[in-house]
Amino acid sequence: MSTEGGITFPDLDSWQAMRRYLIEHADDIRRDASLLETLGLQSKTKHLIDFGPAALSRLEARALKDFDIRRQLEMTARANFDAQSQTHGLVLSLMEARNHSDLARRLNEEVRHRFGLVAATIALEDTGAVPLGWKTLDYGGVDYIIGETGLSLLGPDGVCRVLFDDDVKRVKSAAVLRIALWREGRPGLVAFGSNDFDGFSPDMGAELVAFVARVVERVADRWPVLS
């Protein structure tokens, strides 16, 4: 036994003896602020927040959640940027088309290469000549496919053989956009097919594909349709 400051210290020759001693003098330890600070402990009082294991675990979980949200936002922003960059490249290629057939060919090849889609097609109602390489729709075919007032149709309902021919076997979802060509406003469609059921869905924004459809309209207006 030894004595210091009026406190008698036993011979602590084992951890169990040390533990029993600490428990017996718990009040003295709690009142020793410098000891608690040295040991990295926090006293529980009504004026202080307890940053014990449970609280630290909650803080860590929140930090991880915030990191995941930030990471998802960064990934979404990067994906949007990549999509816009690829769309710009696609548009530049379409603007270099030499005729209607070349326009359809470029559209199909570019979306396959840049976006991994199955196919892209341009379709026109047969109220007049239809350019080589474009799909031919019966009169009223645009309204039948997309609806009388519809401007776009995204999802599995846009998948039809008349737009994709034999590729329709691999197309699981599609984006179909209404177009109007030349001065008479001949009705037509631009269609994009994906092999993913979620590639195009009704709740998805159509801004980028609609932009490409408008470009197709403008470029196609360069040349008359040869009968």
Side-chain angles (χ1 to χ4, degrees):
M1 296 277 184
S2 61
T3 303
E4 182 177 335
I7 300 176
T8 301
F9 293 91
D11 293 328
L12 304 177
D13 56 355
S14 71
W15 165 245
Q16 291 299 328
M18 174 71 77
R19 187 174 185 277
R20 284 194 300 271
Y21 180 78
L22 292 174
I23 292 173
E24 290 170 0
H25 295 83
D27 291 339
D28 296 324
I29 295 172
R30 277 194 290 268
R31 287 192 292 269
D32 195 331
S34 61
L35 175 61
L36 292 176
E37 182 177 357
T38 301
L39 296 176
L41 302 175
Q42 177 64 62
S43 177
K44 293 181 181 179
T45 73
K46 64 180 179 180
H47 303 297
L48 295 176
I49 298 175
D50 176 21
F51 285 97
L56 288 175
S57 178
R58 288 194 296 271
L59 286 174
E60 182 181 31
R62 180 176 178 180
L64 289 174
K65 182 179 180 180
D66 290 344
F67 174 78
D68 287 341
I69 293 174
R70 185 169 66 252
R71 185 178 181 183
Q72 289 175 8
L73 290 174
E74 291 173 351
M75 291 175 64
T76 300
R78 188 178 300 114
N80 287 336
F81 178 78
D82 290 343
Q84 291 179 5
S85 297
Q86 293 293 345
T87 301
H88 293 160
L90 165 63
V91 168
L92 290 176
S93 177
L94 297 181
M95 292 175 65
E96 295 176 355
R98 298 183 299 276
N99 51 53
H100 290 128
S101 297
D102 190 34
L103 176 63
R105 179 190 63 79
R106 286 174 179 267
L107 179 65
N108 186 46
E109 291 182 355
E110 289 288 340
V111 300
R112 289 173 183 257
H113 171 69
R114 293 180 180 276
F115 300 101
L117 298 180
V118 174
T121 61
I122 310 172
L124 191 64
E125 290 188 2
D126 62 355
T127 54
V130 176
L132 185 66
W134 292 29
K135 307 300 181 185
T136 302
L137 300 175
D138 293 335
Y139 176 74
V142 172
D143 289 345
Y144 178 79
I145 293 173
I146 207 172
E148 293 184 2
T149 61
L151 297 178
S152 64
L153 176 65
L154 278 71
D157 291 340
V159 180
C160 54
R161 180 173 291 278
V162 69
L163 295 176
F164 298 107
D165 293 333
D166 290 340
D167 285 329
V168 75
K169 299 175 182 178
R170 297 187 291 131
V171 176
K172 307 303 180 185
S173 62
V176 185
L177 295 304
R178 181 189 294 271
I179 58 175
L181 297 167
W182 305 291
R183 290 184 179 180
E184 63 270 30
R186 284 184 62 185
L189 295 172
V190 174
F192 304 89
S194 171
N195 63 358
D196 186 350
F197 285 105
D198 296 322
F200 297 106
S201 60
D203 59 346
M204 182 181 296
E207 290 81 4
L208 283 180
V209 285
F211 173 66
V212 174
R214 301 291 81 79
V215 172
V216 170
E217 281 182 331
R218 302 302 188 273
V219 175
D221 263 341
R222 293 176 179 175
W223 317 284
V225 180
L226 301 177
S227 57

